[in-house]
Amino acid sequence: TCKMGVLGCWADGVHAQCRFCGDRPYTSIECPEVVGGRAGHNDAGAGVDETTTECMFANEPKMPYYWDPECALGKLGCLADGIHRECRFCAQ
């Protein structure tokens, strides 16, 4: 059950039940079969479409975001959609 303070919860910054999974540092959280409208994936990238250049949110966030090919895991705002490291939140 997700709530504030639990690893991966509040991933979109709006919904407590929106949760990061699969990729570091969330490897202990198993991803459901479908993540953000797409097939789930693991840290090795299985199930991820490498040609995608768009963020994919199950629920559109209120915070603005953009595609940043320079994004890296752990860098501020990256992995905003919980699927693509290149999907990045930005200031309003």
Side-chain angles (χ1 to χ4, degrees):
T1 304
C2 254
K3 62 182 181 182
M4 184 63 95
V6 174
L7 181 66
C9 295
W10 229 284
D12 65 357
V14 178
H15 305 94
Q17 298 304 317
C18 183
R19 191 171 195 183
F20 290 121
C21 65
D23 289 330
R24 276 175 288 195
Y26 310 103
T27 55
S28 65
I29 302 167
E30 188 172 329
C31 291
E33 193 64 31
V34 175
V35 179
R38 300 173 51 104
H41 68 284
N42 58 28
D43 203 33
V48 175
D49 179 358
E50 297 298 327
T51 63
T52 298
T53 58
E54 297 179 11
C55 299
M56 297 185 74
F57 292 92
N59 297 299
E60 192 68 21
K62 293 181 181 181
M63 182 175 286
Y65 59 90
Y66 66 104
W67 191 264
D68 179 1
E70 301 300 313
C71 244
L73 293 177
K75 196 171 180 182
L76 184 64
C78 297
L79 197 67
D81 64 0
I83 302 170
H84 306 99
R85 69 169 169 75
E86 300 91 347
C87 184
R88 188 173 197 175
F89 284 126
C90 54
Q92 294 185 7

